[in-house]
Amino acid sequence: MSHPERSTELRLMALRDRIDTLDAQLIDLLARRFAVTREVGALKLREQLPPIDPAREATQTLRIRNLALLHGIAPALAEQVFRLVVDAVVEEHRSLRQDAEAGS
C-alpha cells in the first residue's frame, strides 16, 4: 500500500529542486546580463553618452511586455522585474561616471 503523504512530499521536493535549478539559472543570466551592461557603461563613458536612453528603455519595456504575454506571464510583473534590472544598470553606469570624474 502506498503512502499518499510520502508521494506528495516526494513530488513537492522534486518540484522545489526544479525551482532551485531555475533560480540558479536566473541568477546566472542576470550576472551575464550585467557583464554586458558593464561593457555598455564603459562605452558610454568613453563616448560621453548619457547613462539613460529613454527611447531604448521605452522600446525594451514594450518588448518585455509582449514577451511576457507570449509566455503567459503578467506584463506588469515582467515590467517590474525589467525596471528593477534597468534601474540597477543605470545606477551602475552613474557610479562608473562618478568614479571616472573623481579620478580625473
Side-chain angles (χ1 to χ4, degrees):
M1 176 173 282
S2 70
H3 292 66
E5 301 86 24
R6 182 69 179 142
S7 174
T8 299
E9 185 179 320
L10 290 174
R11 287 191 326 212
L12 186 57
M13 285 173 49
L15 290 169
R16 286 178 174 163
D17 284 346
R18 288 173 54 196
I19 289 170
D20 291 350
T21 298
L22 291 167
D23 286 346
Q25 290 172 352
L26 281 170
I27 296 301
D28 179 64
L29 283 172
L30 278 172
R32 289 192 281 159
R33 188 186 193 287
F34 275 99
V36 174
T37 60
R38 282 184 197 100
E39 290 183 46
V40 169
L43 178 61
K44 284 181 172 184
L45 183 61
R46 274 195 310 276
E47 300 300 322
Q48 298 180 336
L49 298 171
I52 298 173
D53 183 344
R56 166 82 175 157
E57 286 183 29
T59 299
Q60 287 302 94
T61 298
L62 182 58
R63 183 176 155 271
I64 293 297
R65 291 182 68 82
N66 287 333
L67 283 169
L69 285 169
L70 281 173
H71 291 279
I73 297 171
L77 173 62
E79 188 175 342
Q80 280 182 307
V81 171
F82 177 68
R83 186 80 256 153
L84 281 171
V85 171
V86 169
D87 288 349
V89 168
V90 168
E91 185 58 36
E92 193 170 74
H93 289 183
R94 285 182 174 148
S95 181
L96 272 173
R97 188 170 303 268
Q98 288 172 348
D99 290 350
E101 289 170 355
S104 297

